[in-house]
Amino acid sequence: MKMLVTRPQHDMTVRYLSYWAEEIITFAQEKGMQIVDLQGQKANKDDFEGRMKKLEPEIVFLNGHGSEDSVTGHNNKALVEVGKNHEVLKDSITYAVSCDSGKLLGPNVVKENSNATYIGYDDEFVFVADGRYISKPLSDPKAQLFMESSNQVMISLLRGHRVKEASERSRRVFHEHYRKLLASTTDADSLQMAQCLRWDMHHQVCLGNGDAKLEV
């Protein structure tokens, strides 16, 4: 089994995503998967397209900024874009932690192949970070609630759950954290964080063949 991961690191937002993706990479390695990790400047269109075509990965994990019709890599340059190279994802299970790409990119990917799947967000993916932990994202207790919820998609897929189940499990974790924060009185940011968790939960979309799964 093969997995391709993109992890640009040129600003704080994508650096957080990159660090938290390490949990998924480690878990996939424990499962014996072959992994191509396009980290930092390696998250560029040429390397992405080349590795996709050569590796033909069963699963693709995209981390980066995005728009309705694209997901970007290093320095916000498009890696995959509707009408240019979106068909490169048509044979993979894709999870994109990226703003807006579930609105146009995802639907176009799954339209190319009846078995294609795309989990992403059809509006902004938001999270709250604690400024004291910018240099050590994995220790950030506020960001942890968002990243754990999001990462549940990949963890579930790597455990062999179907795509629709992986999305449902992730949404449940978002909801659990949301409910706990609503009941919290210890953190002044609890209400804002709860609202953001609920936002992500409602804007996560599961497109295409929801019964697809990895044979792990």
Side-chain angles (χ1 to χ4, degrees):
M1 299 288 289
K2 301 173 290 295
M3 179 173 82
L4 186 145
V5 185
T6 66
R7 295 197 293 150
Q9 297 179 322
H10 58 276
D11 64 30
M12 190 202 79
T13 298
V14 294
R15 190 160 59 248
Y16 262 73
L17 299 182
S18 175
Y19 272 88
W20 279 93
E22 291 175 359
E23 172 190 33
I24 303 305
I25 292 171
T26 299
F27 188 56
Q29 289 171 334
E30 292 171 354
K31 292 287 187 179
M33 297 195 75
Q34 179 184 347
I35 299 167
V36 170
D37 181 14
L38 298 181
Q39 182 180 5
Q41 295 184 20
K42 292 181 180 179
N44 62 74
K45 186 176 181 179
D46 288 343
D47 281 346
F48 174 72
E49 287 186 337
R51 293 302 187 112
M52 284 294 298
K53 292 173 183 176
K54 182 177 181 179
L55 190 67
E56 297 182 347
E58 286 85 357
I59 186 166
V60 177
F61 184 26
L62 303 175
N63 297 274
H65 293 294
S67 65
E68 293 183 4
D69 62 357
S70 70
V71 173
T72 67
H74 181 63
N75 283 342
N76 298 334
K77 294 183 178 179
L79 294 179
V80 56
E81 189 171 3
V82 173
K84 294 187 177 179
N85 65 343
H86 68 274
E87 69 281 352
V88 75
L89 296 174
K90 66 183 177 64
D91 294 318
S92 302
I93 294 173
T94 300
Y95 178 42
V97 188
S98 178
C99 293
D100 300 313
S101 71
K103 190 168 291 185
L104 291 179
L105 176 60
N108 274 274
V109 168
V110 303
K111 186 170 64 176
E112 298 290 330
N113 187 328
S114 60
N115 290 318
T117 62
Y118 191 99
I119 300 174
Y121 298 83
D122 64 7
D123 211 308
E124 292 183 354
F125 174 81
V126 296
F127 66 91
V128 176
D130 188 325
R132 296 172 296 177
Y133 296 91
I134 289 177
S135 63
K136 43 184 179 179
L138 294 176
S139 300
D140 189 331
K142 293 182 178 178
Q144 180 181 2
L145 303 181
F146 296 85
M147 301 307 172
E148 281 185 348
S149 304
S150 169
N151 276 358
Q152 186 59 224
V153 171
M154 290 297 296
I155 290 170
S156 296
L157 289 171
L158 291 169
R159 285 177 173 162
H161 295 290
R162 289 178 172 82
V163 168
K164 61 184 178 183
E165 294 171 339
S167 179
E168 288 167 359
R169 285 168 179 262
S170 171
R171 286 162 56 86
R172 281 203 297 270
V173 178
F174 273 117
H175 187 64
E176 288 168 6
H177 287 318
Y178 161 74
R179 291 184 62 187
K180 289 177 182 177
L181 284 175
L182 282 184
S184 172
T185 58
T186 60
D187 191 334
D189 293 331
S190 291
L191 180 58
Q192 179 199 9
M193 292 170 63
Q195 291 171 335
C196 290
L197 285 160
R198 189 170 185 269
W199 174 274
D200 289 339
M201 177 184 70
H202 280 295
H203 288 285
Q204 186 184 109
V205 293
C206 180
L207 306 170
N209 179 13
D211 290 324
K213 65 178 183 176
L214 299 173
E215 299 300 328
V216 296

